[in-house]
Amino acid sequence: MKTKHELFETLNPPQRLLMGPGPINAYPRVHQAISQALIGQYDPVMTGYMNQVQSLYRGVFETQNQQTFLVDGTARSGIEAVLVSLLKPGDKVLIPVMGRFGLLLSEIAKRVGAEVKTIDVVWGEVCTPDQLEEAIKEFQPKLLATVQGDTSTTMNQPLKEFGEICQRYDVLFYCDATASIAGNELKVDEWHLDAVSAGLQKCLGGPSGSSPITLSDRAAKQINARKHIEAGIRAEHHSEGADAMIQSNYFDLAMVMDYWGPERLNHHTEATSMLYAARECARIYLEEGAEQVIARHKQAGDAMAAGLQAMGLTLFGDQTHKMNNVVGVYIPDNINGDAVRMELLERFGIEIGTSFGPLHGKIWRIGTMGYNARQECVLTTLAALESLLIKHKAAIVQGQSVIAAMEFYHG
């Protein structure tokens, strides 16, 4: 039971350097944006901001899709909204599983009632185009659902050839880009993606709580065929889709599209402060420039990886397909990984990640994302981790990690 003092004490969270797989420290400008005044959801200023957010995220997603907007909720809410809105019970969905988050897509699709087939990939590798094409020919799915960057394994799934294959076989193509967007190349239109969902708390440099989404005209048409308008707001001019109603109210993207569309048909109350945050994340990304931001993430990720290797540590997985923004590294022999992580947090205020499933207790996951994809964050983390590994008598190479990482930065 909390004491009265604890319940009413002023909120004062500790300052941490978040160098795990996410969430990470938000850009200062995003904090400023969140603190701005609240206004009504139909205030012309608010609907103007909503229109701006749609335009900004078309730039982030590199798409011309009209249906580009936010789902209020964490990144998982965007995943669920797409899958529950596109899939009906009995629909076939093909899912390459290369880590925990491919398993998550499978779980959500099964809850929707879809027939799921997985392509099971060894953790630390990615799915090949040949594997995909063979599975599509055999299973003939309605939807391919993928994770671009799976932080559980730090792998980045190539998508361009997947899009070409889906086009050939008339398969809808969905991607969860939560952990990869803004730190790794993602070209929605060029790669023929029909639906993409994301989150703010990784490379976009914001807080968790808003999920940017984009839908192709083809995906939007299928979703609108399932449109059902609530009785309390339905008017004579409204028409409903002939297909099966979407089995969620909150995650009904047909209704969410109407809310973001010209009619502003009431659905939920837009999360104003999170919209401010999402807007600022996109502005920062587009102002710096996609190529520059992605290059900054690659520079920081490569520097971190080089520093860890110079320490004598072994990186996890196929490094030719590693995400720019997260690196997996094997915990040294005879070292308690969780104890080192906790000491890193308590002594240095630095957080790095453990892992899941078969990798739990075997690797650490270290992120260089968004505002933290900077030289000082990389060097500070390496220096702190090395000092603790020396303290715990790990068999490492001393004095080389920071020097190796500095080679990636000039001056």
Side-chain angles (χ1 to χ4, degrees), residues 114-146:
E115 181 184 347
V116 176
K117 177 180 175 61
T118 60
I119 302 172
D120 298 316
V121 179
V122 174
W123 286 31
E125 299 179 9
V126 297
C127 181
T128 67
D130 287 345
Q131 285 176 297
L132 179 73
E133 186 164 12
E134 183 179 341
I136 285 178
K137 286 193 287 190
E138 177 190 334
F139 187 55
Q140 298 181 339
K142 170 185 177 179
L143 177 72
L144 170 68
T146 60

Side-chain angles (χ1 to χ4, degrees), residues 161-270:
E161 290 185 57
F162 279 20
E164 293 167 354
I165 293 167
C166 286
Q167 287 281 298
R168 285 205 302 274
Y169 293 93
D170 194 28
V171 175
L172 285 168
F173 185 14
Y174 161 64
C175 175
D176 164 24
T178 299
S180 54
I181 194 169
N184 306 266
E185 191 177 55
L186 176 66
K187 296 180 179 296
V188 169
D189 287 356
E190 185 179 323
W191 296 349
H192 306 296
L193 286 149
D194 290 295
V196 181
S197 65
L200 304 184
Q201 74 275 18
K202 311 277 188 177
C203 303
L204 279 167
S208 178
S210 184
S211 181
I213 280 185
T214 189
L215 302 170
S216 71
D217 290 346
R218 183 167 72 141
K221 183 179 180 180
Q222 291 209 17
I223 292 168
N224 279 323
R226 304 178 67 188
K227 182 180 290 189
H228 168 79
I229 299 170
E230 294 174 23
I233 57 174
R234 191 184 304 137
E236 288 184 5
H237 68 276
H238 290 138
S239 59
E240 300 204 349
D243 214 337
M245 182 172 64
I246 292 166
Q247 294 183 303
S248 170
N249 178 288
Y250 189 73
F251 293 133
D252 184 328
L253 289 183
M255 289 203 290
V256 177
M257 285 189 279
D258 278 345
Y259 179 61
W260 281 80
E263 190 174 3
R264 301 289 174 192
L265 191 61
N266 186 255
H267 177 244
H268 61 290
T269 300
E270 179 58 27

